[in-house]
Amino acid sequence: DSGVTQTPKHLITATGQRVTLRCSPRSGDLSVYWYQQSLDQGLQFLIQYYNGEERAKGNILERFSAQQFPDLHSELNLSSLELGDSALYFCASSSNTGLAGGQQFFGPGTRLTVL
Amino acid sequence: QQPVQSPQAVILREGEDAVINCSSSKALYSVHWYRQKHGEAPVFLMILLKGGEQKGHDKISASFNEKKQQSSLYLTASQLSYSGTYFCGTLGEAAGNKLTFGGGTRVLVKP
């Protein structure tokens, strides 16, 4: 158990819909990262927040957005969903100073299926 | 730009050795190694900073050649528990804060 929690574990929805994925980092970790992993694919970095502020952005679609709240939990919002958005979405946290150079602890992931 | 991992897959017998390579076309600040078992989250193995240091995690070690922008992960005397997909993540000197992962190397260790 990494100490990072993600909800929900599974999510099935239809094209065009909007969903919110939630992540609670390990106690004390200020950095939260979001990754997308499509079937049998690698990990695609989406976005990083550090203590409530956006720190780095990857190839995140405009239909996707994220935020980190004062209690440090983070939400990833996916809207106008398409079939290709079906994937495993991981959240990770780290205790470093905000740089990506530290060890990241991954949550169990949310499996999103868009029908 | 995504680092390139090779080989894409490897099958080993218990006790055999293997090497996984990770190459980048950009100057790197650090290389990160993670292992992901099927249906599970990636788990951190080690980080190597530029300077060519070698690190170890049990019988898994890695090196980083900053001149070649390449890292190698060594699986020594492999155990069944080593099975999984190994990902390298690279942090470029000029890449801001983006850890970019390679496509992964699937490792299957058989009895």
Side-chain angles (χ1 to χ4, degrees), chain B:
Chain B
Q1 197 166 358
Q2 186 179 36
V4 177
Q5 286 187 236
S6 63
Q8 288 188 314
V10 59
I11 299 175
L12 302 165
R13 289 288 178 189
E14 218 174 348
E16 291 182 339
D17 302 340
V19 180
I20 300 171
N21 296 307
C22 174
S23 297
S24 174
S25 58
K26 297 187 175 182
L28 299 177
Y29 172 75
S30 63
V31 179
H32 306 222
W33 286 97
Y34 286 79
R35 178 173 64 204
Q36 183 179 29
K37 293 185 180 287
H38 184 69
E40 299 181 8
V43 174
F44 172 81
L45 293 176
M46 65 193 80
I47 293 175
L48 299 103
L49 302 177
K50 68 175 184 178
E53 64 177 305
Q54 186 150 349
K55 280 196 170 183
H57 174 87
D58 195 11
K59 288 187 178 176
I60 299 175
S61 62
S63 62
F64 178 22
N65 185 326
E66 63 180 288
K67 287 184 180 177
K68 292 184 178 180
Q69 306 308 324
Q70 183 177 31
S71 177
S72 296
L73 187 74
Y74 307 94
L75 308 181
T76 305
S78 58
Q79 305 168 18
L80 296 177
S81 62
Y82 287 2
S83 292
T85 301
Y86 290 77
F87 291 100
C88 72
T90 56
L91 188 63
E93 290 183 332
N97 220 27
K98 305 173 189 177
L99 188 62
T100 305
F101 284 94
T105 295
R106 289 189 176 183
V107 173
L108 176 60
V109 181
K110 293 185 173 182

Side-chain angles (χ1 to χ4, degrees), chain A residues 29-76:
Chain A
D29 284 358
L30 300 180
S31 280
V32 169
Y33 310 80
W34 285 98
Y35 293 91
Q36 180 191 57
Q37 186 174 42
S38 301
L39 190 64
D40 293 331
Q41 295 296 311
L43 293 154
Q44 298 296 319
F45 169 71
L46 295 178
I47 197 164
Q48 181 208 357
Y49 277 83
Y50 175 73
N51 202 20
E53 293 189 3
E54 182 182 305
R55 181 57 68 98
K57 222 170 188 177
N59 295 324
I60 186 168
L61 299 172
E62 285 191 12
R63 301 184 284 109
F64 296 1
S65 65
Q67 54 183 332
Q68 186 179 29
F69 295 87
D71 67 352
L72 300 178
H73 91 271
S74 178
E75 292 181 357
L76 179 67

Side-chain angles (χ1 to χ4, degrees), chain A residues 8-29:
Chain A
K9 194 176 173 101
H10 300 278
L11 197 50
I12 301 175
T13 188
T15 54
Q17 295 298 304
R18 173 189 168 95
V19 297
T20 297
L21 312 183
R22 182 188 170 101
C23 167
S24 292
R26 290 190 323 154
S27 177
D29 284 358

